Amino acid sequence: MATKTQRNERRSDALSKERIVEAAIEILDTDGESALTFRALTARLATGSGAIYHHVANKNDLLVAATDDVIARAVTDVAEETDPREAIRGIASGVFDAIDAHPWVGTQLSREPWQSAIMQIFEGIGQQLQALGVPERAQFNSASALVSYILGLAAQYSAGARLLARETDRSAFLATVTERWMQGDPANHPFLRQVATQLPEHDDREQFLAGIDLFLAGVTTVR
């Protein structure tokens, strides 16, 4: 009897929505979105498709749940007692790191502006802007600007995932882009030619957070 109970407990754990989402994330991280099928899930979880459909309706539902899980950890990991500016930087860097570690998240975030993962980001940023003392009349615009900037990263990574093979060498790719910038007409692209040499060595994360700092510098002047 005890053995049967233990087996039922193990089966229940394996077929929980949390376990299904965990398995989906593993597949997405390893092989990309095209590899995420219910057949692949049933093989990984050693169960039938009916048991999975009991928790998620379809692939889109599964992608939403997986994205929610990743973004929730990025947003809620910021300590409540953190200074609002540092909390906003923490949320932004958390989302950056999540998209960097899980490129498929960027693709998902670029699809539906009303999805719950975006609502989580918006809420996290908005609460910190309130704590920062941004006037109510400016809170929506300020939060929208910051979230749009963060989602711009998502769109960028989404485009990169579509255009570039997973094994693409970053240094070689940036060297190619730099060369193209340098070949531009000096009369039409003087700025690009000037900054082109910085492109190969720049750090994406540092550059992204520098943009967040620019937003914060502007937001704190709103009264």
Side-chain angles (χ1 to χ4, degrees), residues 18-32 35-36 41 44-45 66 70 73 102 104 166:
E18 291 75 15
R19 179 66 190 107
I20 293 170
V21 169
E22 179 184 338
I25 291 173
E26 292 170 357
I27 293 172
L28 288 162
D29 286 348
T30 304
D31 300 310
L36 180 61
L41 273 176
R44 183 173 290 258
L45 294 171
V70 171
R73 280 182 269 130
H102 314 280
W104 53 270
R166 292 166 65 88

Side-chain angles (χ1 to χ4, degrees), residues 15-17 20 38 48-58 61:
L15 299 180
S16 68
K17 185 171 183 179
I20 293 170
F38 276 64
S49 59
I52 296 176
Y53 278 115
H54 177 71
H55 294 284
V56 289
N58 48 48
D61 188 25

Side-chain angles (χ1 to χ4, degrees), residues 145-214:
L146 278 162
V147 173
S148 294
Y149 176 71
I150 293 171
L151 294 183
L153 164 76
Q156 178 181 339
Y157 270 70
S158 174
R162 290 195 303 270
L163 296 174
L164 303 175
R166 292 166 65 88
E167 63 274 11
T168 298
D169 180 83
R170 180 179 184 275
S171 297
F173 171 72
L174 291 178
T176 300
V177 176
T178 299
E179 184 178 353
R180 290 182 180 178
W181 284 15
M182 292 298 293
Q183 291 174 351
D185 187 339
N188 293 328
H189 306 103
F191 176 76
L192 286 182
R193 289 175 61 89
Q194 176 185 327
V195 301
T197 56
Q198 300 177 38
L199 185 60
E201 303 300 327
H202 86 282
D203 183 280
D204 289 340
R205 193 174 191 274
E206 288 182 4
Q207 189 177 65
F208 172 74
L209 290 177
I212 294 293
D213 290 338
L214 289 173

Side-chain angles (χ1 to χ4, degrees), residues 90-101:
I91 291 171
S93 61
V95 173
F96 180 97
D97 292 340
I99 295 174
D100 188 46

Side-chain angles (χ1 to χ4, degrees), residues 59-83:
K59 180 175 179 176
N60 184 65
D61 188 25
L62 187 56
L63 282 168
V64 168
T67 304
D68 283 351
D69 182 79
V70 171
I71 293 300
R73 280 182 269 130
V75 174
T76 58
D77 278 352
V78 178
E80 293 183 3
E81 66 273 11
T82 303
D83 173 81

